[in-house]
Amino acid sequence: MSGVTSINLVENALLVSIQDDVTDTEIVELQDTLSNRIAKENVKGVILDISSLEIVDTFVGRVIAQLAGISKLLAAETYVVGMRPAVAVTLVELGMYLPETRTALSLTHALTQLRRA
């Protein structure tokens, strides 16, 4: 998958890096892979790193929302890290508030919050 660089286990969470060029096909693969790994590895959280996204559209917003929904159904909290200010503004302008996700300034902050949960 060229749009998704990796899914790595970090402490008790899966770190997913999403790249700008992610495709519909890659998202379907990511959803399958991520849901299987959440169940298999019994993680407490999923951390979506979107720091490489310069801009977002409704497709990317929908992807984040879907991944968070899948994670929540499998009892894993979702954190979005690396969000640029322009990305946050665009998501709000698009009406995408992502209620299933939490945000953190960095991977370290997300892991700290997961440890407290």
Side-chain angles (χ1 to χ4, degrees):
M1 288 187 282
S2 63
V4 178
T5 57
S6 61
I7 301 176
N8 295 305
L9 183 62
V10 179
E11 292 187 21
N12 199 15
L14 292 173
L15 174 61
V16 181
S17 298
I18 300 177
Q19 301 300 312
D20 255 341
D21 57 350
V22 69
T23 67
D24 288 349
T25 303
E26 291 168 335
I27 289 305
V28 171
E29 291 174 17
L30 173 61
Q31 289 173 335
D32 290 341
T33 303
L34 184 61
S35 59
N36 288 326
R37 289 203 48 196
I38 291 169
K40 177 183 166 193
E41 299 179 35
N42 196 28
V43 296
K44 287 177 59 175
V46 172
I47 301 170
L48 302 175
D49 179 3
I50 62 169
S51 59
S52 70
L53 299 180
E54 299 277 336
I55 57 170
V56 294
D57 55 15
T58 54
F59 171 70
V60 174
R62 192 178 80 241
V63 164
I64 294 168
Q66 288 172 345
L67 294 174
I70 290 167
S71 299
K72 184 170 185 169
L73 288 171
L74 295 171
E77 290 290 333
T78 302
Y79 289 85
V80 175
V81 299
M83 187 177 300
R84 299 169 191 254
V87 170
V89 169
T90 303
L91 286 171
V92 170
E93 288 173 350
L94 293 171
M96 304 188 94
Y97 297 98
L98 307 174
E100 303 294 333
T101 65
R102 298 170 186 243
T103 57
L105 296 174
S106 67
L107 173 60
T108 302
H109 288 120
L111 290 171
T112 300
Q113 290 179 32
L114 276 169
R115 281 186 218 111
R116 291 182 187 152

